[in-house]
Amino acid sequence: DTAVSQTPKYLVTQMGNDKSIKCEQNLGHDTMYWYKQDSKKFLKIMFSYNNKELIINETVPNRFSPKSPDKAHLNLHINSLELGDSAVYFCASSQASGDTQYFGPGTRLTVL
Amino acid sequence: AQSVSQHNHHVILSEAASLELGCNYSYGGTVNLFWYVQYPGQHLQLLLKYFSGDPLVKGIKGFEAEFIKSKFSFNLRKPSVQWSDTAEYFCAFGNTGGFKTIFGAGTRLFVKA
């Protein structure tokens, strides 16, 4: 059983398009996150949600809109994609803030 | 500002060599400390963690780390590396209630067979 799953695994799209990435965790965790990992492997927090409520938005452009329909899901919608959005996006979850995080397999987004 | 500094960006070792990766954090309060590993093409997974108690913690695959509070450090060690340890290693800290875990920039370890 996959603990944290993401779809799709790969996403290739043109500039200006809108795309979504889905994330689901079956661990019963309260807190979920989105991270962006650039080509140099630097991992940057984008959003943190606790019990479906947005807790942290790390100055991410408002083209990025997370949505948490329930505690087990945190989806990421991106409008008007730009070349600089190309990266690997990881979803993660933890039982509580500051606790061990469990990462999804990542979504490699390529914007052409 | 809260931050994590990893001393080495790239490390190349031969099999059986000893490993030590440096990590220092900047935060004035109580922290939970982590080392995560990312094998090529895979997602991050927990290697070991320190929340409280014995400052010397042991993780999977023979790794250990020591928390030295006075130095704000949490260095990762392994006495004898294997080719399969080739990966990216991330030091991180979180604080309960802070809803954010701060990651270091990562250290890429390459082990020559």
Side-chain angles (χ1 to χ4, degrees), chain A residues 55-107:
Chain A
I55 302 298
I56 290 175
N57 177 341
E58 281 290 300
T59 60
V60 178
N62 57 15
R63 297 183 295 104
F64 291 79
S65 52
K67 283 196 171 47
S68 183
D70 53 58
K71 276 181 16 174
H73 295 84
L74 181 61
N75 304 323
L76 184 65
H77 188 75
I78 315 170
N79 289 326
S80 303
L81 278 155
E82 301 176 356
L83 293 176
D85 298 331
S86 294
V88 181
Y89 291 83
F90 286 101
C91 177
S93 72
S94 64
Q95 180 57 53
S97 65
D99 206 344
T100 303
Q101 294 188 22
Y102 294 80
F103 285 80
T107 296

Side-chain angles (χ1 to χ4, degrees), chain A residues 16-39:
Chain A
N17 284 351
D18 303 338
K19 290 293 177 187
S20 292
I21 307 172
K22 295 187 176 181
C23 176
E24 176 181 1
Q25 54 97 0
N26 63 7
L27 298 167
H29 288 166
D30 289 341
T31 308
M32 295 186 73
Y33 313 83
W34 275 109
Y35 289 89
K36 179 180 180 181
Q37 187 176 48
D38 63 24
S39 58

Side-chain angles (χ1 to χ4, degrees), chain B residues 74-89:
Chain B
F74 191 54
N75 293 352
L76 181 71
R77 299 193 291 252
K78 185 171 183 178
S80 176
V81 294
Q82 299 173 312
W83 176 80
S84 58
D85 294 324
T86 293
E88 192 92 17
Y89 292 82

Side-chain angles (χ1 to χ4, degrees), chain A residues 31 33 35 37 41-43 45 48 50 55-56 58 90 97-101 103-105, chain B residues 32 34 36 38 43-44 46 49 51 88 90 94-101 103 105 108:
Chain A
T31 308
Y33 313 83
Y35 289 89
Q37 187 176 48
K41 300 292 189 182
F42 185 72
L43 200 64
I45 180 77
S48 171
N50 187 62
I55 302 298
I56 290 175
E58 281 290 300
F90 286 101
S97 65
D99 206 344
T100 303
Q101 294 188 22
F103 285 80
Chain B
N32 300 329
F34 307 89
Y36 288 88
Q38 185 177 24
H43 61 283
L44 278 81
L46 182 71
K49 64 184 179 184
F51 282 14
E88 192 92 17
F90 294 90
N95 56 316
T96 302
F99 295 103
K100 185 162 71 171
T101 297
F103 282 83
R108 184 167 295 182

